[in-house]
Amino acid sequence: MHSKLQASFYTRADVLQISKDLLGKVLVTAIDGKVTSGIITETEAYMAPEDKASHAFNNKRTPRTDAFYNTGGIGYVYLCYGIHHLFNIVTNVEEIPHAILIRSVEPLEGIDYMLQRRKKQKVDKTLTTGPGALAQALGITKLHNKISLLGNTVWVEDRNIAVPAIQATTRVGIDYAAEYKDKPWRYYIEGNKWVSKI
């Protein structure tokens, strides 16, 4: 029996530490009767209100950003460029808008389902690397925005997978974020090929 991460994992104050702690954990979905999972290999932390790269910068509140202000342990899913669903995990306590973008996973279970969803014939790195690809492969859409990660649809497990070393680097695609574009708040498992970009 694998152990599902509990609320206390997500409600901690240090979003950077949680981002690192998620590496090697397993993201699982049970959607339309199809179970898929992957080892989290790459994350990005967003630390509003001061983080200019965050949708909740300066405590911005819109229908889209409302998820940020919930107690940690829910999903925040939004549509990027009108095409890609991106899956984030909300952390910290209510009213503190921290979140972690899951950027890549290493496929584990339900790979046939992943291939179908991604309209691919064979398994290669593009199956689940990059946040849009992994959400599509795992069946995550805007329907899962604000979903509890303590439930049985989308959740994260600790399977005691050893992480050899963690690399920290700058986040991707946030050139608009002034000094915050240079923060080393993207983390990935060193030497793992299932990472969007090294």
Side-chain angles (χ1 to χ4, degrees), residues 6-28:
Q6 294 304 302
S8 56
F9 179 93
Y10 301 109
T11 53
R12 291 176 291 159
D14 189 345
V15 68
L16 305 182
Q17 186 61 51
I18 301 170
S19 297
K20 292 180 243 186
D21 292 346
L22 280 167
L23 296 174
K25 302 295 190 288
V26 178
L27 176 59
V28 188

Side-chain angles (χ1 to χ4, degrees), residues 139-152:
I140 296 171
T141 69
K142 278 179 78 173
L143 296 174
H144 303 106
N145 188 40
K146 295 189 182 177
I147 195 165
S148 171
L149 303 183
L150 308 181
N152 296 313

Side-chain angles (χ1 to χ4, degrees), residues 148-178:
S148 171
L149 303 183
L150 308 181
N152 296 313
T153 304
V154 181
W155 69 93
V156 182
E157 293 179 355
D158 186 350
R159 299 192 186 177
N160 296 313
I161 295 167
V163 173
I166 293 170
Q167 285 285 354
T169 183
T170 52
R171 295 174 293 179
V172 178
I174 55 163
D175 290 342
Y176 56 84

Side-chain angles (χ1 to χ4, degrees), residues 30-156:
I31 294 168
D32 299 330
K34 300 170 180 175
V35 174
T36 53
S37 71
I39 301 166
I40 297 171
T41 57
E42 182 184 4
T43 59
E44 274 182 357
Y46 289 85
M47 202 186 320
E50 65 272 23
D51 182 357
K52 292 176 182 173
S54 172
H55 293 167
F57 168 61
N58 210 15
N59 283 316
K60 181 178 181 183
R61 293 192 87 129
T62 65
R64 181 166 89 155
T65 65
D66 185 62
F68 271 105
Y69 297 93
N70 285 255
T71 301
I74 65 166
Y76 166 49
V77 184
Y78 67 92
L79 201 57
C80 183
Y81 305 127
I83 327 168
H84 306 291
H85 289 99
L86 304 193
F87 174 68
N88 301 256
I89 292 174
V90 174
T91 65
N92 214 314
V93 295
E94 195 174 0
E95 296 300 323
I96 298 183
H98 289 178
I100 297 162
L101 173 65
I102 307 303
R103 284 195 55 86
S104 295
V105 301
E106 179 179 338
L108 276 183
E109 294 144 317
I111 291 173
D112 286 348
Y113 298 136
M114 294 186 195
L115 289 167
Q116 286 170 15
R117 288 171 177 153
R118 297 276 292 127
K119 298 180 172 53
K120 289 180 167 292
Q121 302 302 313
K122 65 180 193 337
V123 176
D124 62 26
K125 184 181 153 175
T126 62
L127 182 64
T128 54
T129 61
L134 84 86
Q136 186 179 28
L138 294 175
I140 296 171
T141 69
K142 278 179 78 173
L143 296 174
H144 303 106
N145 188 40
K146 295 189 182 177
I147 195 165
S148 171
L149 303 183
L150 308 181
N152 296 313
T153 304
V154 181
W155 69 93
V156 182

Side-chain angles (χ1 to χ4, degrees), residues 172-193:
V172 178
I174 55 163
D175 290 342
Y176 56 84
E179 71 274 21
Y180 278 85
K181 73 179 173 54
D182 299 319
K183 299 283 188 188
W185 292 352
R186 177 165 73 98
Y187 304 97
Y188 63 88
I189 299 175
E190 187 175 355
N192 189 296
K193 73 171 187 176

